[in-house]
Amino acid sequence: MPEEQRLRTFLDHFQPFRTLHNNIKDALEEMRLVFGTESKNMTLDENIWLIQRVLRAERDFVKRRLYLNGLAAAFHLRYMKTKQEADIDQWIQYAQQLLEVSHGTEDQKCALEYLVEAFKFRFEDTKAKVDIDQTIKYTQQTLEISDSTDKEKTLESLATHLLNRYLKFHQMTDLENSIHYSQQLLQDSQSTTHIPAFCCNLLCRSLRERFLKLDQLQDLKLSVLYGQQAVDAVPAGDPNEKAYSVNLYESLRRRLEISHQPSDLEASIQCVQRIVDSKASGSSREAQAQLDLIQRLTVDFKRKTEGRIPNHAEEWLKPEYAEQEANTARIESNPREAGCLERCAEGYLVRYLTSGQMCDLQKSIQSARRLVDISTEDDPRRAEFLLKLSHTLELRGQELHSFADSLRAKAIAEDALAITPEDHPDRADRLSSLGTTQFNFHSQFGTLSDLENSIENMQSAVSISLRKRSDCGSHCRMISCYHIYLLQLGVVIGARFSFTGQLSDFEHSVVYIEEVESRISGSEVNSHTKAHCLGLLAGAYRQRYSVRLRIADLDQAIQIYRLSASIVSSDDSYRRGTYMSLADTLWERYKISGCIDDIDGAIEHCKDVLLKSTGNIGRSTGCFQHLGMFYETKFFRTQQITDIGQSVQSFQQALELIEPDITDPEYHRVQVGIGTSSSLLYKESRAEEDLDRSNLALYKVANFSIGLPPQLAFDAAVYLIWNHVETKSWSSAAGQIDLLLEMLPKVILPSSSRDDLQFFLRKTWHIFPLMPVAYLNGGGSSSAALGVLESCRGMILNLILNGRSEVSMLQEEQPDLWAEYIHCRDQISRLKLDIIPVFQVDATQSYAAKTHMRQKLYDNLQEVQTKIRQCPGHERFLLPPKGKEITDLATNGPLVCFNIYEGVSLAFLVTSTGVEVLPITKFDGKYMAQMLNLSNPRRYRAKRDVEIIDSDDDENITTQGSEYLEHLWINAVKPVLQKLGLLRKANSPSTKLPRIWWIGGGIMSLLPLGAAGIHTPGSMENTSSHVVSSYVPSLKMLQFLRNKLPLSLPPSAEERRLLVVSMPTTPGIYGSLNTMGEVAAIKAHTAGLAQFTHMTQPSKSDVSNSLRSCTLAHFACHGSVNSEEPMKSSLILGNDTEERLSIGEIIDAIASKRARIAYLSACSTAEIKTNILVNEAIHLASAFQLAGFQHVVGTLWKADDSAAVAIASKFYELLFQEEKITDSTVAYALHDAVLDYRNCNGGGVLKWASFIHMGC
């Protein structure tokens, strides 16, 4: 056929469809009829070739538009057949050329429609933003030239494209514009039902997406409303019926997750049933798969709402039925297997959570594992299946204490996150899930790396959710995922603070918690979500209380727990757990407030949980155990035998529910509960059966708990000693004391933190003063009893000393053994008192095997220490002084160690020849405590203390106290000096007084033993007339100081570096001090004898740096004693703002080899305000000794400003009079300086008696 005739044939066919059809889709259908077959012997490729050839020669614009139109349509048709990228590129090229030459003509709209369709197809292939951008651009241009007839469909297209771009690139403006155009289209549409149905369906999807982004509940409500309208508007049998029903189901499912209302479940079931019944539902297998949606939805609803479901849905919850269906589907290779396995896994998990039966959890794990195995790598729900398996394994790991299960659960959760795309809508939730799993792993096994990873993942979840809510206005009252994740992050960061002590973590935790708290009030969320959020918040307040020790935090936690419990149903398992947390918190508050309503409330809530826990053995056991503790606590208040009887009964009921297993910590904890409560019951009943029950239970734990947390055996041994003392079974008590001392190194770990030690001492301080008494009565020697006393006090100081001296010496002399010791110590440092360490063990290893490995770690450390002690010079590595080591310490003068216990007070007298015990029978510790109250009244203006309260009767206060010092002299100090033969006669010749070292115990640590007596003129009835007194907190500290080189200041003034820090004024409320006179006197007495450096109102960092190079340090400033946390006692520094140099910072930051003498002319630098830690001697003076200063001058209570200036001036005058300054020079200089002030200023003993010398 000639070329011209072929062209005419094409034009004859093309012209009618171009002029008759305005819609591109209809035109394309016509083109298929023309070019789809080889009518008139013309193929599509031939026509394309022909038009391209004619187009190249044509110059007529009308004809060119015609040819370009035909080529765009032809390449569209060929792309639909070939799906080749080159065809769609040619389609776009000719459509763009057509647009360029058709402006203002009817072909312009045709060109735009070609371009919209082409870029839409290309975006589906490439997912490139440029393609969807072009699609929207040309759709908007089409809208501008559309008449009223075409405008509706163009708006529909534009709204759809905007939603698609949002779903891919998450630009909020796209979603808002899509919703706007859809609403405009719905409002303007008055034609067919197709437009309203489509618009309602589009709004259903768009509003649901905005809800997921902004958490505005109103969006989800409207989404469901429009989705229902779309389903109602579409005719039966319409091809869109199924798609609209699926869209509605997704919105209903989201609302069901929030509301947990049966009506939403009913609507969801009806919606899925409509999908199944629709003519477009597909094959029978597809229909059954849709039905599985109902079953999975119902199971999930059952799990979250504790059974509040429609009756007809119960049959879908039977996991055995789902398991049978899954097995059948597997045989038939039916795709329904996945849905059945999911129902099976969920069903068995629900049953386990209700019954506590391990067999149900095992079946849930098996089903979840099969579900993962059959899912393909590209299955969009694979990550969801992995998390399901991870969760069930984690539960089993917690139930069985299985390290392998917990480790596997964590690894699977990591896999689930790894296959979740960065832009996946559930990524934040999966980050949170992984973070929670890692945190639980840390809580169970103490791994800091998992805690760090948990925080990192929680932070990522918060960041993602924050971006989602960035456009959320103030009208949003919903508790968003952002706030839930933020609360979790606050709790986890708070846990890191508890683990590491980083103050910034605690501050961030508080900020996050308080932000969530402000958001919760009046929020529109379902009861379970809100209750869970409130429960986490209450737990965070409890954690904050453990740090701040402010009862207001406990009050807040209790209030929030009550609110959390009130918004869920009475038979809800979450409510039961909340009640147990509430009971524990009330118990904590009772121990502070003493309010009987608190302990009664704890008991009632615990009983309520017991009534609701029938069949759940694990929960019932815990409830009985807590009930036993609560009744025991109440007994201490009421002294009613019925209360302690209830305690014993509750612990026995708990024991009946636990299988006897000597490797199970819970079994032993219950035994300890039986032992302690029965011991208390015996004291009331005097029934031998109660005593026998107590001794038997405690003996089992104390002597047969190998591999368990050492604290359990230690607690049992403590109470067993009490029982033996109560019945005066002294030899049994002595034997148990030996056992307890063997346990002590396992409880006080080499790497224990100071906070851990303080917590331990707060629990056990009451037993330690009793032990030397019991040991002596049990036939122990005086020296051995002193060893017992030394082992049980100064533990925190001794732990630091070991690191400063013996471990450092080992590193220098035996580096290989040091490395081996550090390795063992670091392994044990992972052990908390109540958790299991991380071991690389096989999954088949039993819990008993792991506890055996715990014991092996202790054995390894013992073996290393034995090897170290075989090395010359390290024979007593980390051991307290013993035997000759103790008596050698008394070479320069006797040591007096006091042990003050109710009714029996002892003084251990150590001389170079041996150890004697002197009973102190008439000393009244309670009477002497009144002196401490007198020396520290709030109305007393102590000018160097942080409490500045003016008073007009300062002089009257300071002149009191003589009678207390007289009692101290007559009933304690004088008998000691008389026994030691150190009392001088009144007419004896004047000679240099001997030295004595006081090692206080109990209240003796707080009393001025060196100032005891009568101080009227000419009186020798006082300590200072017979001996020169020095103080040390423990024998170990004295040994540490003596092992250093003897004090000998450098002979040249340049090498004697004297640092003087003065604070004449202090930022804040503190009063001014007379430091100018003090500094001037020191400078005058040391002129030419020392290099003098004066720092006025310096920063903490400057002082710390200067201390590292000085020989002598003098502080004239305010001091502060922290009664709750002695390690935070401090010297007050700073210029513009207050800065506190605390004990902890002094110990950690200062280690001066030059350090010799520190003079702390501040208040209470050797005072301890908490009786519980009084034997630890944690104060500023001992901190400077640990920092390297061999001699420290401190004060036992608030220092008077005038006395501080005078005594300091005289001290430096006497000190630098000596040509050679030795250890004794310091003690004698302070002794004489204090006496000089006493003699010159008369009575006011409280002004000068507080100044003491600490050192060797």
Side-chain angles (χ1 to χ4, degrees):
M1 181 181 295
E3 186 175 297
E4 183 178 347
Q5 186 178 352
R6 287 195 176 192
L7 177 58
R8 190 178 298 111
T9 301
F10 164 72
L11 294 177
D12 290 341
H13 284 282
F14 184 75
Q15 185 67 23
F17 104 82
R18 188 183 67 79
T19 57
L20 294 177
H21 302 290
N22 291 319
N23 184 278
I24 186 64
K25 292 182 179 178
D26 295 337
L28 287 172
E29 184 61 29
E30 181 70 20
M31 287 291 288
R32 289 189 183 93
L33 296 176
V34 175
F35 295 108
T37 63
E38 296 185 3
S39 60
K40 300 182 181 179
N41 299 320
M42 292 177 60
T43 64
L44 179 59
D45 290 343
E46 287 176 336
N47 277 288
I48 289 174
W49 175 83
L50 177 63
I51 300 172
Q52 286 176 329
R53 184 171 180 179
V54 173
L55 177 63
R56 283 194 293 270
E58 184 61 63
R59 294 292 180 267
D60 184 270
F61 282 103
V62 175
K63 290 183 179 180
R64 283 185 66 81
R65 290 201 306 270
L66 176 63
Y67 301 150
L68 289 170
N69 201 327
L71 283 170
F75 276 107
H76 182 185
L77 287 173
R78 191 160 79 176
Y79 170 76
M80 299 304 293
K81 289 182 178 182
T82 65
K83 299 297 181 182
Q84 295 295 318
E85 183 180 351
D87 288 334
I88 199 170
D89 289 343
Q90 290 281 22
W91 174 10
I92 291 172
Q93 176 185 339
Y94 287 120
Q96 288 175 332
Q97 291 180 25
L98 176 61
L99 182 62
E100 292 172 1
V101 298
S102 61
H103 182 72
T105 70
E106 58 184 3
D107 286 322
Q108 180 182 3
K109 182 182 177 184
C110 187
L112 289 170
E113 289 176 347
Y114 278 137
L115 289 168
V116 168
E117 195 76 4
F119 280 111
K120 184 185 76 170
F121 277 120
R122 193 158 77 174
F123 173 69
E124 291 175 357
D125 291 337
T126 65
K127 304 300 181 186
K129 188 173 185 297
V130 64
D131 290 329
I132 190 65
D133 289 346
Q134 292 292 85
T135 304
I136 292 172
K137 169 188 170 182
Y138 290 124
T139 305
Q140 290 172 330
Q141 292 181 16
T142 305
L143 182 64
E144 292 173 1
I145 64 173
S146 296
D147 54 24
S148 58
T149 306
D150 296 331
K151 187 174 182 180
E152 289 181 347
K153 288 190 176 183
T154 307
L155 275 174
E156 171 190 320
S157 177
L158 180 59
T160 302
H161 297 325
L162 286 166
L163 177 59
N164 289 335
R165 186 165 71 178
Y166 166 77
L167 292 174
K168 180 63 179 175
F169 302 106
H170 307 294
Q171 295 295 320
M172 196 62 195
T173 53
D174 287 338
L175 184 60
E176 295 291 357
N177 288 333
S178 176
I179 293 172
H180 169 72
Y181 289 131
S182 298
Q183 289 175 331
Q184 179 183 337
L185 182 59
L186 185 63
Q187 183 178 358
D188 295 343
S189 176
Q190 302 292 331
S191 57
T192 66
T193 59
H194 170 73
I195 294 298
F198 181 88
C199 289
C200 287
N201 183 65
L202 191 61
L203 279 169
C204 174
R205 176 69 186 275
S206 301
L207 288 166
R208 184 172 70 246
E209 291 296 332
R210 190 166 73 177
F211 161 75
L212 295 174
K213 177 78 172 180
L214 303 180
D215 291 315
Q216 300 183 53
L217 193 58
Q218 184 63 23
D219 284 338
L220 188 58
K221 292 179 180 178
L222 290 174
S223 175
V224 172
L225 176 64
Y226 284 123
Q228 191 64 57
Q229 290 179 2
V231 170
D232 293 342
V234 70
D238 189 286
N240 292 318
E241 180 183 9
K242 177 183 174 182
Y244 291 178
S245 297
V246 170
N247 197 24
L248 172 60
Y249 162 75
E250 288 298 326
S251 295
L252 283 168
R253 182 175 66 85
R254 292 285 183 179
R255 191 167 75 174
L256 179 63
E257 291 174 350
I258 294 175
S259 69
H260 293 160
Q261 294 299 318
S263 58
D264 283 333
L265 178 63
E266 288 280 11
S268 300
I269 291 173
Q270 292 173 8
C271 185
V272 178
Q273 195 66 56
R274 187 185 297 112
I275 297 171
V276 174
D277 296 339
S278 68
K279 294 181 180 180
S281 60
S283 66
S284 60
R285 286 186 175 182
E286 183 181 352
Q288 188 59 51
Q290 298 292 346
L291 188 59
D292 286 341
L293 288 175
I294 306 176
Q295 298 166 329
R296 186 171 67 249
L297 193 67
T298 308
V299 169
D300 186 58
F301 185 82
K302 166 74 174 178
R303 179 180 172 189
K304 294 180 178 178
T305 61
E306 291 294 311
R308 296 182 293 113
I309 66 171
N311 292 332
H312 68 271
E314 282 286 357
E315 63 185 66
W316 294 330
L317 299 181
K318 296 178 180 178
E320 291 86 357
Y321 177 72
E323 187 175 18
Q324 182 179 357
E325 283 188 313
N327 292 333
T328 302
R330 186 178 188 180
I331 295 173
E332 298 175 353
S333 298
N334 192 320
R336 287 190 57 241
E337 182 183 1
C340 296
L341 284 173
E342 190 171 5
R343 285 160 39 214
C344 182
E346 288 289 341
Y348 279 121
L349 181 58
V350 168
R351 185 181 290 176
Y352 163 73
L353 294 173
T354 304
S355 67
Q357 296 294 321
M358 182 55 63
C359 59
D360 290 325
L361 182 58
Q362 299 283 26
K363 290 182 179 179
S364 180
I365 292 172
Q366 292 171 6
S367 300
R369 185 172 283 120
R370 277 182 60 189
L371 188 60
V372 170
D373 291 342
I374 67 171
S375 64
T376 59
E377 294 295 332
D378 58 350
D379 189 331
R381 297 193 64 201
R382 181 172 174 81
E384 185 180 336
F385 299 156
L386 286 168
L387 287 176
K388 194 181 300 293
L389 176 58
S390 172
H391 178 59
T392 52
L393 284 171
E394 185 178 353
L395 287 175
R396 188 171 71 179
Q398 293 171 348
E399 181 74 17
L400 301 180
H401 308 283
S402 170
F403 172 75
D405 279 341
S406 298
L407 184 64
R408 182 63 180 147
K410 184 176 59 148
I412 292 173
E414 290 169 350
D415 291 343
L417 181 64
I419 64 173
T420 302
E422 292 289 337
D423 59 348
H424 195 282
D426 292 331
R427 183 169 179 83
D429 191 56
R430 290 171 189 174
L431 281 163
S432 174
S433 296
L434 175 57
T436 301
T437 300
Q438 290 168 331
F439 176 66
N440 291 338
F441 192 90
H442 157 76
S443 300
Q444 192 175 5
F445 300 107
T447 51
L448 184 58
S449 61
D450 285 297
L451 181 59
E452 296 289 355
N453 292 335
S454 174
I455 292 172
E456 182 180 349
N457 287 317
M458 292 290 191
Q459 287 172 332
S460 298
V462 168
S463 298
I464 292 173
S465 59
L466 181 61
R467 290 197 298 270
K468 283 187 175 183
R469 65 184 290 272
S470 58
D471 298 324
C472 182
S474 60
H475 60 281
C476 177
R477 300 175 61 223
M478 183 80 181
I479 295 181
S480 64
C481 292
Y482 163 76
H483 287 98
I484 294 176
Y485 301 152
L486 189 67
L487 184 58
Q488 292 173 335
L489 178 60
V491 172
V492 174
I493 286 185
R496 185 169 68 179
F497 168 74
S498 300
F499 200 84
T500 65
Q502 296 178 16
L503 188 59
S504 60
D505 283 339
F506 174 64
E507 293 169 347
H508 286 133
S509 176
V510 172
V511 169
Y512 298 153
I513 292 166
E514 289 178 344
E515 179 178 343
V516 177
E517 180 194 17
S518 66
R519 192 71 175 174
I520 282 181
S521 178
S523 57
E524 295 180 1
V525 294
N526 69 84
S527 57
H528 275 265
T529 300
K530 187 171 183 178
H532 177 69
C533 193
L534 288 169
L536 287 175
L537 181 58
Y541 273 106
R542 285 182 69 184
Q543 185 181 52
R544 188 162 77 173
Y545 163 75
S546 68
V547 176
R548 290 184 171 184
L549 299 177
R550 296 178 182 175
I551 198 169
D553 288 330
L554 280 185
D555 295 340
Q556 192 74 7
I558 289 169
Q559 181 181 349
I560 296 172
Y561 274 135
R562 283 176 173 154
L563 178 60
S564 177
S566 69
I567 61 178
V568 291
S569 63
S570 60
D571 60 346
D572 195 308
S573 64
Y574 182 82
R575 182 172 182 171
R576 296 195 288 272
T578 302
Y579 268 153
M580 281 307 302
S581 298
L582 173 58
D584 284 339
T585 312
L586 286 168
W587 179 51
E588 285 184 75
R589 189 170 71 176
Y590 168 77
K591 289 185 288 185
I592 300 169
S593 68
C595 177
I596 198 68
D597 290 341
D598 283 342
I599 194 63
D600 284 341
I603 290 171
E604 289 306 312
H605 287 311
C606 197
K607 287 182 176 179
D608 184 64
V609 174
L610 270 172
L611 291 175
K612 302 289 186 180
S613 300
T614 305
N616 191 327
I617 295 176
R619 175 164 284 160
S620 297
T621 304
C623 286
F624 279 124
Q625 191 175 353
H626 279 75
L627 199 58
M629 292 189 297
F630 297 160
Y631 271 118
E632 183 177 313
T633 303
K634 184 179 180 182
F635 166 75
F636 289 116
R637 168 71 177 272
T638 65
Q639 293 298 307
Q640 295 293 319
I641 194 171
T642 53
D643 287 331
I644 196 60
Q646 286 282 0
S647 176
V648 174
Q649 181 181 347
S650 298
F651 280 121
Q652 287 179 317
Q653 288 173 305
L655 188 64
E656 291 173 0
L657 297 175
I658 299 180
E659 294 185 9
D661 182 358
I662 63 172
T663 66
D664 184 359
E666 289 306 313
Y667 172 75
H668 287 285
R669 285 191 180 98
V670 174
Q671 290 279 21
V672 171
I674 292 175
T676 57
S677 58
S678 297
S679 174
L680 294 170
L681 182 60
Y682 167 73
K683 293 177 182 179
E684 299 297 320
S685 68
R686 291 298 166 180
E688 290 296 326
E689 62 177 348
D690 293 330
L691 180 62
D692 291 342
R693 184 192 315 113
S694 175
N695 285 340
L696 179 61
L698 295 172
Y699 187 80
K700 286 180 179 178
V701 181
N703 294 272
F704 299 104
S705 56
I706 296 175
L708 291 177
Q711 184 67 54
L712 281 176
F714 189 89
D715 290 344
V718 166
Y719 284 102
L720 198 53
I721 292 171
W722 279 112
N723 282 355
H724 293 322
V725 171
E726 181 72 20
T727 57
K728 296 188 177 354
S729 303
W730 299 114
S731 60
S732 297
Q736 203 62 50
I737 289 170
D738 285 332
L739 179 63
L740 185 142
L741 293 178
E742 291 178 9
M743 298 178 192
L744 203 55
K746 296 182 180 180
V747 178
I748 307 298
L749 302 176
S751 55
S752 295
S753 70
R754 296 160 197 165
D755 289 339
D756 286 342
L757 284 174
Q758 288 191 41
F759 175 77
F760 167 75
L761 291 168
R762 289 177 190 275
K763 292 174 57 180
T764 56
W765 69 276
H766 58 284
I767 188 67
F768 291 149
L770 171 63
M771 288 168 53
V773 178
Y775 205 81
L776 285 170
N777 289 334
S781 66
S782 299
S783 180
L786 178 59
V788 171
L789 175 61
E790 180 68 14
S791 297
C792 299
R793 68 177 175 190
M795 293 183 182
I796 297 176
L797 293 180
N798 291 342
L799 196 69
I800 300 169
L801 286 174
N802 290 337
R804 290 286 166 88
S805 58
E806 299 184 42
V807 176
S808 297
M809 188 184 302
L810 179 69
Q811 182 179 12
E812 293 176 4
E813 298 179 2
Q814 301 287 339
D816 292 339
L817 277 177
W818 172 83
E820 191 175 352
Y821 167 76
I822 293 297
H823 175 71
C824 290
R825 188 188 70 177
D826 289 346
Q827 283 187 300
I828 291 181
S829 70
R830 298 174 182 171
L831 289 171
K832 296 289 184 181
L833 297 181
D834 57 352
I835 66 171
I836 306 167
V838 177
F839 296 109
Q840 298 296 331
V841 296
D842 186 79
T844 60
Q845 283 191 286
S846 65
Y847 182 69
K850 295 172 197 172
T851 58
H852 173 72
M853 293 187 71
R854 174 199 293 275
Q855 182 63 37
K856 187 176 180 181
L857 272 184
Y858 288 122
D859 293 341
N860 289 344
L861 181 64
Q862 188 64 44
E863 290 176 6
V864 173
Q865 289 177 339
T866 300
K867 287 193 291 185
I868 293 172
R869 290 166 188 158
Q870 293 172 351
C871 297
H874 299 277
E875 293 82 1
R876 299 292 298 168
F877 180 72
L878 302 185
L879 295 174
K882 186 178 181 181
K884 190 173 183 301
E885 285 183 296
I886 294 177
T887 56
D888 285 347
L889 293 174
T891 302
N892 297 328
L895 320 176
V896 181
C897 304
F898 286 102
N899 183 70
I900 306 301
Y901 180 67
E902 298 176 5
V904 184
S905 296
L906 305 173
F908 289 86
L909 311 180
V910 183
T911 65
S912 58
T913 58
V915 179
E916 292 184 78
V917 176
L918 176 67
I920 307 296
T921 57
K922 296 181 180 181
F923 174 77
D924 189 344
K926 293 181 179 178
Y927 175 74
M928 289 305 300
Q930 298 176 23
M931 176 190 171
L932 298 177
N933 294 331
L934 180 68
S935 65
N936 284 313
R938 287 190 59 82
R939 61 193 179 90
Y940 172 54
R941 181 185 172 103
K943 294 183 179 178
R944 298 205 172 184
D945 186 72
V946 294
E947 298 177 357
I948 302 301
I949 302 175
D950 291 323
S951 175
D952 295 331
D953 59 347
D954 289 354
E955 192 63 31
N956 293 332
I957 293 298
T958 57
T959 57
Q960 298 179 32
S962 298
E963 61 272 25
Y964 296 106
L965 293 181
E966 183 177 354
H967 175 86
L968 181 61
W969 165 255
I970 294 172
N971 298 296
V973 177
K974 185 175 181 179
V976 167
L977 295 182
Q978 189 170 17
K979 182 71 174 177
L980 291 170
L982 295 177
L983 287 179
R984 297 173 61 219
K985 295 180 180 180
N987 56 358
S988 61
S990 178
T991 58
K992 191 172 184 178
L993 297 179
R995 295 187 64 189
I996 192 170
W997 279 264
W998 304 105
I999 303 175
I1003 193 172
M1004 287 297 190
S1005 301
L1006 310 175
L1007 297 176
L1009 299 168
I1014 302 169
H1015 294 278
T1016 57
S1019 173
M1020 292 190 65
E1021 290 295 309
N1022 53 71
T1023 311
S1024 55
S1025 295
H1026 303 279
V1027 292
V1028 174
S1029 296
S1030 295
Y1031 298 73
V1032 285
S1034 67
L1035 296 174
K1036 186 81 172 180
M1037 175 65 88
L1038 183 58
Q1039 186 182 48
F1040 167 72
L1041 297 173
R1042 290 272 174 85
N1043 286 340
K1044 298 185 72 173
L1045 293 175
L1047 175 64
S1048 179
L1049 291 183
S1052 65
E1054 290 75 14
E1055 295 180 12
R1056 293 179 176 181
R1057 298 179 181 179
L1058 171 59
L1059 171 67
V1060 177
V1061 177
S1062 66
M1063 294 289 295
T1065 60
T1066 305
I1069 63 172
Y1070 314 111
S1072 59
L1073 299 176
N1074 180 22
T1075 61
M1076 292 182 61
E1078 187 171 345
V1079 173
I1082 296 171
K1083 186 173 184 180
H1085 292 309
T1086 60
L1089 301 174
Q1091 183 180 337
F1092 185 88
T1093 301
H1094 180 207
M1095 303 178 72
T1096 304
Q1097 295 180 288
S1099 67
K1100 180 170 64 175
S1101 60
D1102 288 343
V1103 171
S1104 297
N1105 292 331
S1106 297
L1107 280 171
R1108 292 187 176 92
S1109 59
C1110 72
T1111 309
L1112 301 93
H1114 183 98
F1115 286 82
C1117 60
H1118 288 295
S1120 171
V1121 178
N1122 190 311
S1123 58
E1124 295 294 338
E1125 297 182 72
M1127 294 296 291
K1128 293 183 179 179
S1129 297
S1130 55
L1131 296 171
I1132 313 299
L1133 305 172
N1135 192 342
D1136 297 328
T1137 58
E1138 174 189 318
E1139 297 184 41
R1140 296 192 171 215
L1141 183 62
S1142 69
I1143 287 177
E1145 291 169 324
I1146 292 169
I1147 294 173
D1148 292 336
I1150 305 166
S1152 174
K1153 293 184 178 180
R1154 295 175 175 269
R1156 294 295 183 266
I1157 303 170
Y1159 194 117
L1160 308 182
S1161 186
C1163 280
S1164 307
T1165 51
E1167 180 187 6
I1168 304 170
K1169 285 189 175 180
T1170 171
N1171 290 334
I1172 293 175
L1173 298 176
V1174 69
N1175 286 322
E1176 289 302 298
I1178 305 172
H1179 45 61
L1180 288 162
S1182 61
F1184 272 86
Q1185 287 185 312
L1186 288 170
F1189 290 89
Q1190 293 170 285
H1191 299 269
V1192 180
V1193 176
T1195 54
L1196 290 170
W1197 56 76
K1198 301 176 181 180
D1200 179 80
D1201 198 23
S1202 61
V1205 174
I1207 293 174
S1209 175
K1210 192 65 176 179
F1211 170 79
Y1212 284 100
E1213 177 186 349
L1214 296 172
L1215 182 69
F1216 281 93
Q1217 282 180 354
E1218 299 290 334
E1219 291 185 7
K1220 184 177 181 181
I1221 299 176
T1222 65
D1223 289 317
S1224 295
T1225 309
V1226 183
Y1228 282 101
L1230 182 66
H1231 176 86
D1232 293 341
V1234 172
L1235 285 183
D1236 182 73
Y1237 181 85
R1238 182 199 69 173
N1239 297 334
C1240 294
N1241 293 274
V1245 293
L1246 295 183
K1247 288 187 175 183
W1248 55 265
S1250 68
F1251 289 86
I1252 64 170
H1253 167 254
M1254 296 188 64
C1256 58

